[in-house]
């Protein structure tokens, strides 16, 4: 179980997260929607300490900490329990698809190179990229690069996978293959927190949908509840605009 209490973050004078409280059960798939600039991506980045939160408490499994007091060892412990899929792929340009997957296995999880490469090859087969193992990112399509990014996260076998608008940088022709891979990950009951603008995908995959605005959780519920019977007028207005 992941439990977040009072998570807050400011950029200068702007409060981006205003005391977020959120519990994610094991195996739950949660999709976060809302207007741009409302703190959705910052929430994910703070959970992984890519952005440093200013206050709040975070519990992931048996790890619990005060985020304001988190040191290097605490941050590393959190990152060993989470995996991040970036909207711009964030692959190492000078490493092959296989090497992009093995890097964290070797550096973070301290696996042997032989073990890491065997795991990477397994993941590449699962993502339909076995024939691209020795190919560098520049020679891959956007969809293939993002599948490597998702494969890198899958390989870590973490307690929580964080997806930050994973299709937003893709040409429309590549969106489907990335969403299909995410569906396969979800079918394994992998715990997932997903920020996306793909509303139909959210309906299909989510156990719970959260609507955020102004750095706060405004409303949450099952896909049917939130999309078909939103209670808050801000949620209704947003869905009217994107629908």
């Amino acid at each position: 179980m992941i439990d977040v209490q009072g998570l807050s973050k400011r950029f200068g004078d702007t409060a981006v997260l205003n005391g977020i409280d959120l519990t994610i059960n094991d195996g739950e798939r949660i999709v976060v929607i809302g207007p741009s600039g409302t703190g959705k991506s910052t929430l994910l980045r703070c959970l992984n300490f890519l952005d440093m939160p200013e206050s709040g408490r975070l519990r992931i499994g048996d790890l619990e900490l005060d985020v304001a007091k988190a040191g290097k060892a605490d941050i590393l412990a959190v990152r060993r329990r989470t995996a991040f899929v970036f909207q711009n792929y964030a692959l190492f340009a000078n490493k092959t698809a296989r090497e992009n997957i093995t890097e964290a296995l070797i550096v973070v999880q301290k696996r042997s190179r032989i073990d890491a490469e065997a795991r990477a090859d397994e993941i590449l087969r699962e993502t339909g990229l076995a024939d691209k193992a020795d190919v560098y990112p520049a020679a891959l399509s956007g969809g293939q690069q993002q599948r490597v990014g998702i494969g890198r996260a899958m390989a870590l076998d973490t307690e929580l996978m964080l997806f930050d608008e994973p299709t937003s940088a893709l040409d429309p022709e590549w969106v489907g293959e990335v969403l299909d891979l995410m569906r396969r990950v979800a079918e394994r009951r992998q715990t997932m927190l997903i920020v996306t603008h793909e509303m139909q995908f959210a309906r299909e995959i989510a156990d719970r949908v959260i609507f955020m605005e102004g750095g706060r959780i405004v409303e949450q519920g099952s896909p049917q509840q939130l999309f078909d019977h939103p209670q808050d007028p801000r949620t209704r207005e947003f869905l009217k605009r994107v629908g």
Side-chain angles (χ1 to χ4, degrees):
M1 176 182 288
I2 294 91
D3 189 53
V4 181
Q5 297 179 7
L7 192 68
S8 298
K9 173 66 180 177
R10 300 182 70 88
F11 290 118
D13 295 331
T14 303
V16 183
L17 296 179
N18 289 289
I20 296 290
D21 295 328
L22 176 63
T23 297
I24 308 172
N25 296 312
D26 292 342
E28 191 173 20
R29 290 82 54 93
I30 296 180
V31 172
V32 185
I33 64 172
S36 297
T38 197
K40 305 184 302 296
S41 293
T42 301
L43 170 61
L44 267 61
R45 292 177 65 86
C46 283
L47 292 178
N48 192 248
F49 286 93
L50 293 169
D51 288 334
M52 293 299 296
E54 293 167 2
S55 62
R57 297 197 64 84
L58 173 62
R59 179 163 68 89
I60 303 177
D62 60 357
L63 173 67
E64 185 171 1
L65 53 91
D66 180 337
V67 299
K69 299 177 181 178
K72 290 183 179 179
D74 297 314
I75 293 171
L76 180 58
V78 168
R79 289 177 177 169
R80 283 176 173 160
R81 290 167 169 79
T82 60
F84 204 101
V85 177
F86 297 85
Q87 57 183 286
N88 63 348
Y89 327 136
L91 300 181
F92 295 107
N94 63 337
K95 296 183 182 296
T96 65
R98 179 190 289 115
E99 290 168 340
N100 266 280
I101 295 172
T102 61
E103 181 74 9
L105 295 174
I106 294 169
V107 175
V108 178
Q109 295 191 345
K110 307 301 182 185
R111 297 196 192 188
S112 70
R113 183 167 297 278
I114 291 175
D115 182 43
E117 289 182 349
R119 177 60 173 151
D121 287 342
E122 177 185 353
I123 290 294
L124 288 167
R125 288 193 296 272
E126 291 184 29
T127 57
L129 295 170
D131 60 334
K132 305 295 184 182
D134 297 317
V135 175
Y136 290 90
L140 298 173
S141 71
Q144 289 168 337
Q145 289 186 63
Q146 190 59 294
R147 280 191 281 159
V148 173
I150 295 172
R152 176 175 57 189
M154 292 167 59
L156 294 169
D157 292 320
T158 57
E159 294 174 52
L160 174 65
M161 286 180 68
L162 303 162
F163 293 81
D164 184 15
E165 300 189 31
T167 62
S168 65
L170 296 176
D171 291 335
E173 63 183 311
W174 307 124
V175 170
E177 66 184 52
V178 170
L179 295 180
D180 285 344
L181 176 56
M182 291 175 64
R183 288 186 184 94
R184 296 202 298 273
V185 174
E187 287 170 358
R188 304 177 182 184
R189 302 309 304 182
Q190 166 70 51
T191 309
M192 304 165 75
L193 184 61
I194 305 165
V195 172
T196 185
H197 293 292
E198 302 284 345
M199 297 298 147
Q200 184 57 41
F201 176 70
R203 277 183 178 271
E204 295 172 10
I205 199 173
D207 297 305
R208 184 168 20 134
V209 179
I210 290 173
F211 173 69
M212 281 185 66
E213 188 177 61
R216 292 184 170 89
I217 293 175
V218 173
E219 185 173 352
Q220 57 184 305
S222 70
Q224 182 179 12
Q225 289 171 331
L226 193 129
F227 286 115
D228 297 338
H229 307 287
Q231 299 300 302
D232 192 280
R234 289 171 292 178
T235 312
R236 291 196 293 270
E237 180 61 27
F238 172 77
L239 293 174
K240 185 185 298 183
R241 291 200 307 269
V242 301

